[in-house]
Amino acid sequence: MDLVDAHCHLDFKQFDKDRDEVIERAKKAGVCTIINSGVDYETNLSTLMLSSSHDLIKVTLGLNPNMIHETDVDMTFELIEERAEDLLGIGEVGLDYYRMKTSKKEQKEVFLRAIELARRLDKPIILHSRDAEGECFELVKGLDRVIFHCYGGSASLMEQIVDRGFYISLATVICYSDSHRKVVERVPLENLLIETDSPFLSPFRGKRNEPAYVMEAAKKIAEVKGIWVEEVADATLMNVKRVYGI
Ligand SMILES: [Zn+2]
């Protein structure tokens, strides 16, 4: 079985002591591709560095709305543009009205800049959205390819998102969150990705998450939908290839 972890942060310091072992465990668990996402200037650089030494690690570069005041926004966008050939998509970018580390106005300005860049470079957007899914959807509607990373919105909005042909990426949080149940039940396999968002959102609560555990998300989806786990793996692998053109 070939699995893809569609979103994680293996460059984060939580993996400094055993990063290579974590990657080996992922391979043994059947993970053939790991998509590592930058969240600011520094982590965009460390993401690029990580992928240059591991074939299975692919890159998306972005600026998480919570990092706007922690990083140099202009330098971040310049780096993304310079390294356009090395990245699969722009993200994570978006709006976070849950943590609200930056004003809505400023978050939106940066997000619109990212949308413009995605359009110009013809790359998919990987959305980070908390308590702002509807507004994000309105802003990206005109794009070709959009992935709602770690989707936490309603089932009815999810239906509009997939009707538009976009993708819903479900994280290992679904293994213990009842609020995601309806989305898991109803999301079509053709629009589904799975991810760990490692080191966060471990299916084994309180522990560090890692890409090998993406299997737990696949199992949970298979159980809720009453299908084989292989079907979940095949569909999500095909979707990753389709949306990123790889
Ligand atoms: Zn993330």
Side-chain angles (χ1 to χ4, degrees), residues 7 9 92 149 197:
H7 183 101
H9 307 281
E92 49 194 275
H149 132 67
D197 205 13

Side-chain angles (χ1 to χ4, degrees), residues 8 13-15 32 35 49 53 61 89 112 135 153 158 177 189 196 208 218:
C8 68
K13 63 173 188 309
Q14 287 90 333
F15 296 105
C32 60
I35 300 177
M49 209 139 81
S53 49
L61 301 182
L112 287 173
E135 196 173 334
M158 176 276 291
S177 161
L189 280 183
T196 61
R208 182 188 67 175

Side-chain angles (χ1 to χ4, degrees), residues 7-9 12 37-39 64 92 126 128 149-150 195-198 200-201:
H7 183 101
C8 68
H9 307 281
F12 280 19
S37 293
V39 297
N64 181 294
E92 49 194 275
I126 298 90
H128 168 102
H149 132 67
C150 193
E195 60 169 78
T196 61
D197 205 13
S198 303
F200 313 113
L201 307 178

Side-chain angles (χ1 to χ4, degrees), residues 141-170:
K141 260 184 181 166
L143 294 175
D144 285 343
R145 293 173 289 166
V146 177
I147 296 145
F148 278 73
H149 132 67
C150 193
Y151 183 74
S154 69
S156 60
L157 181 64
M158 176 276 291
E159 275 159 358
Q160 295 178 47
I161 292 167
V162 301
D163 277 348
R164 177 62 194 80
F166 294 160
Y167 294 84
I168 298 287
S169 186
L170 294 178

Side-chain angles (χ1 to χ4, degrees), residues 35-83:
I35 300 177
N36 205 83
S37 293
V39 297
D40 61 5
Y41 182 77
E42 294 291 322
T43 56
N44 284 335
L45 279 181
S46 49
T47 294
L48 284 164
M49 209 139 81
L50 187 63
S51 90
S52 68
S53 49
H54 297 277
D55 279 349
L56 81 165
I57 298 182
K58 309 294 179 202
V59 168
T60 78
L61 301 182
L63 176 48
N64 181 294
N66 297 312
M67 302 306 288
I68 292 170
H69 287 169
E70 322 283 326
T71 198
D72 187 313
V73 173
D74 287 332
M75 273 172 67
T76 307
F77 277 104
E78 279 160 27
L79 176 69
I80 296 173
E81 203 159 353
E82 274 166 24
R83 302 298 297 266

Side-chain angles (χ1 to χ4, degrees), residues 58-127:
K58 309 294 179 202
V59 168
T60 78
L61 301 182
L63 176 48
N64 181 294
N66 297 312
M67 302 306 288
I68 292 170
H69 287 169
E70 322 283 326
T71 198
D72 187 313
V73 173
D74 287 332
M75 273 172 67
T76 307
F77 277 104
E78 279 160 27
L79 176 69
I80 296 173
E81 203 159 353
E82 274 166 24
R83 302 298 297 266
E85 277 186 14
D86 302 315
L87 57 94
L88 295 181
I90 312 282
E92 49 194 275
V93 293
L95 302 172
D96 194 323
Y97 293 167
Y98 175 76
R99 291 198 195 100
M100 278 298 277
K101 287 198 179 171
T102 311
S103 72
K104 287 187 178 179
K105 182 172 172 285
E106 212 172 340
Q107 289 192 40
K108 203 170 155 182
E109 276 168 15
V110 171
F111 185 34
L112 287 173
R113 216 172 140 178
I115 291 171
E116 188 42 46
L117 188 59
R119 201 189 301 273
R120 192 147 45 83
L121 299 177
D122 192 23
K123 300 278 186 188
I125 280 251
I126 298 90
L127 264 181

